[in-house]
Amino acid sequence: MSQDSLKQRAEDLLLHAGIRIDGNAPTDVRVHDEDLYARVFAHGSLGLGEAYMDGWWDVDDLPGFMTKLLSSHLDEHLKTLDTLIAHLKARFINLQRGEHAFEIGKAHYDLGNDLFHAMLGKRLVYSCGYWAEAGNLDDAQAAKLDLVCRKLRLQPGQRVLDIGCGWGEALKYAAEHYGVSGVGITVSEQQAEFARELCKELPIEIRLQDYHEIDEPFDAVYSIGMFEHVGGKNYRAYFETVRRCLKEDGLSLLHCIGSNGTPAQPDPWIEKYIFPNSMIPAASQVAAALEGLFVVEDWHNFGTDYDRTLTAWRANFDAAWPELSKNYDERFRRMWRYYLGASAAVFRSRRDQLWQLTLSPDGVPGGYRVPR
């Protein structure tokens, strides 16, 4: 197909989403390299993202542009070999077990604490904030951490387990505000080192450890933004680990992104550049993995709050770029802005959700009204 024919096909598809090529609207795309069309039709979302990283196209409102694409389901017209390969890898290979479990730490979370410090705000909390009554990112993250503690009914003297503890902020908050002690596990060396320093005056132990290995009792077990790295083949093992470690009268909370769609369909660009070996769970997978292990006391969805969280992260990243540019190049800047902008669009278009599941081993006697 000629370049002109490919461009015409692209124009026709984009018009269905209300997008024009070289138009004047903030969501209209400006094309700098005419080879863009062949690249996108050959490689789908991978080609679109890589072309943006290479400076082949721009748009003033990237999240708005991506929201229009997703809301119009234009991505379904770009199913390519790259999409199939990503799907098959997720479907048939256990990419999150054994030595693979630590790959995400090296590839993403060890990029540099300077990057995450600049982006995430007052606290290094790399997950969706809770914006029900918050007006800024720092308040939204504090509200999320407090919501988790309230849902778990934490009390002074209890011992908690944070699976995928990140930089230790959730454990620090729980220890300081609810008087608990705890253990945090992570697969990122930089996160573990930072968390140990952050929590050094508190009764908290930080371990560089895979969750499969832990077997000791806790009053509460939670994970915040970690389940996306577990993988469908390991969901049952994850919940078995939680059940093994949770006391009979304890509560567990799972905070994770969730998909409306069918299982095992990772985006090839995200898989290659941002979160290798990661997978967004479908509700059917989570429900099946829980069977016979837990009572679901509550399934809370506040997915649109992730749009606001990602938008705030992107603003922080842009503001910090003059300093960050000393350590990261222009292609990284475009990659990271694309990641944050496209991710915001995923939640704005309601393609993905943010779930908090509150779980008990055998059901709270008399029932449990979970806080909001």
Side-chain angles (χ1 to χ4, degrees):
M1 190 177 290
S2 69
Q3 192 174 79
D4 288 343
S5 299
L6 290 171
K7 181 177 181 179
Q8 186 61 54
R9 183 185 171 197
E11 287 179 335
D12 293 343
L13 284 172
L14 289 171
L15 277 176
H16 288 293
I19 298 168
R20 295 183 180 276
I21 296 174
D22 297 326
N24 297 319
T27 55
D28 287 340
V29 61
R30 297 187 300 279
V31 175
H32 307 309
D33 191 316
E34 293 293 316
D35 288 336
L36 171 68
Y37 311 112
R39 189 173 187 178
V40 173
F41 284 123
H43 298 289
S45 66
L46 180 63
L48 184 68
E50 289 184 334
Y52 184 83
M53 291 165 62
D54 292 338
W56 287 21
W57 64 277
D58 277 298
V59 62
D60 291 335
D61 180 6
L62 180 60
F65 166 79
M66 296 299 295
T67 299
K68 285 189 171 185
L69 287 185
L70 295 174
S71 297
S72 302
H73 299 277
L74 288 196
D75 56 309
E76 295 172 8
H77 293 273
L78 298 174
K79 299 298 183 184
T80 65
L81 180 60
D82 303 291
T83 308
L84 177 63
I85 290 171
H87 174 87
L88 292 176
K89 281 174 62 181
R91 179 74 175 82
F92 296 109
I93 303 173
N94 193 340
L95 297 167
Q96 298 83 13
R97 195 68 189 263
E99 63 183 22
H100 294 302
F102 289 84
E103 288 177 3
I104 184 63
K106 295 183 178 70
H108 190 87
Y109 297 105
D110 288 346
L111 279 171
N113 286 339
D114 61 334
L115 170 65
F116 295 109
H117 253 305
M119 185 176 83
L120 299 180
K122 178 181 177 181
R123 292 180 176 86
L124 281 173
V125 179
Y126 196 15
S127 53
C128 181
Y130 189 54
W131 294 80
E133 298 180 6
N136 61 67
L137 176 63
D138 291 337
D139 289 348
Q141 293 295 10
K144 186 266 299 297
L145 297 178
D146 200 67
L147 181 67
V148 170
C149 294
R150 288 186 290 123
K151 286 183 175 182
L152 292 170
R153 292 181 168 178
L154 296 187
Q155 300 294 326
Q158 288 185 329
R159 185 167 182 258
V160 305
L161 171 63
D162 184 335
I163 300 177
C165 66
W167 292 276
E169 295 280 6
L171 277 171
K172 180 176 185 286
Y173 186 94
E176 290 179 340
H177 291 83
Y178 288 84
V180 302
S181 63
V183 173
I185 60 175
T186 177
V187 294
S188 165
E189 292 183 4
Q190 285 201 28
Q191 284 187 335
E193 182 180 342
F194 183 94
R196 288 181 186 125
E197 181 65 24
L198 182 75
C199 301
K200 66 181 179 181
E201 304 297 331
L202 297 166
I204 291 168
E205 178 188 359
I206 304 296
R207 304 174 186 170
L208 192 66
Q209 185 177 30
D210 183 5
Y211 68 91
H212 295 91
E213 301 167 0
I214 195 159
D215 185 7
E216 53 198 90
F218 295 90
D219 297 289
V221 179
Y222 65 87
S223 70
I224 302 174
M226 170 271 182
F227 196 69
E228 298 86 342
H229 306 305
V230 169
K233 290 185 174 294
N234 305 306
Y235 292 159
R236 184 69 177 181
Y238 169 87
F239 286 116
E240 287 173 344
T241 298
V242 175
R243 184 68 182 84
R244 181 175 71 236
C245 293
L246 186 63
K247 294 180 180 179
E248 286 298 321
D249 59 349
L251 291 168
S252 180
L253 182 136
L254 174 67
H255 172 116
C256 72
I257 298 170
S259 172
N260 301 334
T262 54
Q265 294 190 4
D267 178 82
W269 187 86
I270 290 288
E271 161 73 20
K272 181 174 180 178
Y273 289 99
I274 306 298
F275 293 117
N277 302 344
S278 297
M279 185 187 302
I280 304 302
S284 58
Q285 293 176 296
V286 176
L290 286 166
E291 286 182 0
L293 295 174
F294 289 102
V295 172
V296 180
E297 299 288 356
D298 185 61
W299 195 314
H300 185 187
N301 179 10
F302 51 97
T304 53
D305 284 17
Y306 227 145
D307 178 13
R308 295 184 68 177
T309 302
L310 285 152
T311 298
W313 288 347
R314 196 161 178 257
N316 285 347
F317 176 76
D318 287 345
W321 181 250
E323 186 65 26
L324 290 172
S325 64
K326 298 173 184 177
N327 297 321
Y328 303 90
D329 63 17
E330 175 64 12
R331 195 166 192 264
F332 180 90
R333 184 188 75 87
R334 292 183 67 88
M335 177 189 79
W336 206 254
R337 293 188 86 248
Y338 188 83
Y339 151 54
L340 296 174
S343 297
V346 168
F347 294 98
R348 192 178 302 177
S349 64
R350 304 310 305 275
R351 282 291 192 93
D352 282 351
Q353 312 305 322
L354 190 284
W355 296 331
Q356 279 193 356
L357 279 67
T358 306
L359 312 169
S360 65
D362 298 301
V364 176
Y368 178 32
R369 295 195 183 278
V370 180
R372 290 288 190 268

